[in-house]
Amino acid sequence: MEKKIASIIVVTGRELSREYRLNRSKNIIGRDTSASIEISGDQRISRNHASIKSEFNPDLQKFDYMIVDLNSTNHTYVNGEQISVEKLRDGDKIRVGDTILKFVLQDEIDAKFQKEIQRRLNYDNLTGLLTRESFEMAMKAELERYRKHKVSIAQFMMDIDHFKQVNDAFGHMAGSYVLSQVGILIRENLRSIDFSGRYGGEEFIAFMSDIKKETAMKTAERLRTVIKKYDFDYNECKMKITISIGVAFFPLHGETVEDLIHAADVALYQAKRAGRDQVVMFEPGFKISPEN
């Protein structure tokens, strides 16, 4: 019988595609630093939220894996159903807090492929956000998950207003400081299950899964306000920075990565055209092709 490797893979948020190999003893899922599957960025996960342990099945001569909720505050769900104890099957989706995990039984080829995906997810050194290529790869994986059920997803395209003036007035080091701080503010003002990237230059991108339009628009507006009110201070040079945000939704405004990014980009152009420092949701009547 071919040996299978039991793993838990993170399928949402900032740790997207991270893999945890399960051992035969107890594996703890939680926020505590001692947890073998530590999910530190999700405050809705208990310190010791759930455990996964193996039990040998003599009839099938293999190990079964059982997940047990550890009296967590927000409960443990398998395939959308709240559980106390449940036998895991290959492909089962586990939700703890706002984080979705996937239980998989992989052969050596699958395991190597998963490692390659994780290796290719790169982060921008300056902002700490995903690179454009990694963001688009992660986004494609998310869309595959949601396409069947048509769950609403929000796509943000963001651009720092008049960024060239920052470089011209204060220098490129000050510009780099602004980019890094904006990256931090984006991460701090999105949910732990969302992910974001630096799309290029002073342009950023974010992807919020399973969210209502009203909530997504409020999130974008809050982020815009936070950046506007933030004191950007580099070597005693105080700068006021604003950002424009275009928002599009899956499946309303597109069902592919390319269509969603395009729709959000068109909405961003409208925000710039209307005076900058604002949030605009895509509408079909907008110009098809953004201009610089």
Side-chain angles (χ1 to χ4, degrees):
M1 181 180 293
E2 187 177 21
K3 180 182 176 182
K4 292 287 187 177
I5 300 167
S7 300
I8 291 292
I9 297 173
V10 182
V11 295
T12 59
R14 299 166 192 162
E15 295 193 6
L16 181 73
S17 195
R18 182 172 181 179
E19 179 184 9
Y20 296 89
R21 296 279 178 97
L22 298 179
N23 56 49
R24 295 284 164 78
S25 58
K26 187 183 292 185
N27 303 267
I28 301 294
I29 303 171
R31 286 192 296 113
D32 196 275
T33 55
S34 65
S36 48
I37 302 174
E38 181 190 355
I39 313 292
S40 58
D42 189 340
Q43 296 303 310
R44 297 190 69 246
I45 295 178
S46 299
R47 292 189 178 278
N48 293 289
H49 196 105
S51 69
I52 300 175
K53 60 181 180 179
S54 64
E55 296 178 357
F56 186 70
N57 185 328
D59 295 331
L60 298 177
Q61 290 294 298
K62 69 180 186 66
F63 284 91
D64 291 329
Y65 288 84
M66 311 294 294
I67 184 167
V68 180
D69 181 76
L70 299 177
N71 297 315
S72 64
T73 302
N74 294 304
H75 312 296
T76 301
Y77 298 81
V78 175
N79 299 327
E81 299 292 330
Q82 183 181 331
I83 62 95
S84 54
V85 180
E86 183 77 9
K87 178 182 174 182
L88 291 171
R89 296 168 176 79
D90 188 24
D92 276 352
K93 305 294 193 312
I94 303 164
R95 178 162 67 83
V96 288
D98 289 323
T99 300
I100 307 295
L101 311 170
K102 183 178 180 181
F103 173 74
V104 294
L105 294 169
Q106 307 175 106
D107 58 24
E108 288 292 344
I109 294 175
D110 289 335
K112 287 179 180 178
F113 178 69
Q114 176 60 35
K115 280 189 175 294
E116 177 63 16
I117 291 177
Q118 189 173 355
R119 185 188 68 79
R120 290 175 60 189
L121 282 177
N122 297 316
Y123 290 82
D124 177 61
N125 291 331
L126 185 60
T127 64
L129 305 179
L130 288 167
T131 63
R132 175 174 177 168
E133 294 78 11
S134 292
F135 180 92
E136 290 181 351
M137 183 169 62
M139 187 176 164
K140 285 178 181 177
E142 287 287 274
L143 286 185
E144 286 301 318
R145 239 171 23 93
Y146 286 107
R147 187 170 281 111
K148 181 186 293 186
H149 303 292
K150 301 292 184 183
V151 176
S152 180
I153 295 169
Q155 175 77 56
F156 292 0
M157 288 293 289
M158 302 167 277
D159 190 78
I160 298 174
D161 298 324
H162 303 298
F163 184 70
K164 184 177 183 298
Q165 294 179 11
V166 174
N167 284 330
D168 290 346
F170 302 105
H172 288 281
M173 293 299 290
S176 295
Y177 160 78
V178 169
L179 291 171
S180 67
Q181 293 303 114
V182 169
I184 291 171
L185 293 173
I186 289 173
R187 293 199 306 273
E188 289 180 345
N189 286 277
L190 296 182
R191 304 169 303 175
S192 61
I193 61 171
D194 306 322
F195 53 95
S196 49
R198 184 182 180 192
Y199 204 63
E202 67 272 21
E203 197 167 29
F204 299 86
I205 192 166
F207 187 83
M208 304 183 72
S209 57
D210 196 8
I211 191 168
K212 294 179 180 178
K213 279 195 292 184
E214 296 79 9
T215 305
M217 294 302 288
K218 286 180 181 178
T219 300
E221 183 60 33
R222 183 180 70 246
L223 178 58
R224 183 197 66 79
T225 302
V226 165
I227 290 173
K228 184 173 184 175
K229 291 182 176 181
Y230 187 79
D231 291 325
F232 291 85
D233 188 347
Y234 180 77
N235 286 347
E236 300 185 354
C237 295
K238 297 186 181 298
M239 297 166 279
K240 285 299 180 183
I241 300 298
T242 62
I243 195 166
S244 299
I245 304 176
V247 185
F249 291 92
F250 167 91
L252 181 63
H253 301 137
E255 296 196 19
T256 67
V257 171
E258 294 76 16
D259 287 346
L260 276 175
I261 290 177
H262 177 71
D265 202 33
V266 170
L268 172 62
Y269 168 69
Q270 293 295 324
K272 294 280 193 182
R273 189 182 184 193
R276 297 179 169 83
D277 185 27
Q278 55 189 283
V279 177
V280 172
M281 183 177 75
F282 176 80
E283 293 181 12
F286 286 164
K287 275 180 171 280
I288 295 176
S289 298
E291 301 169 4
N292 295 326

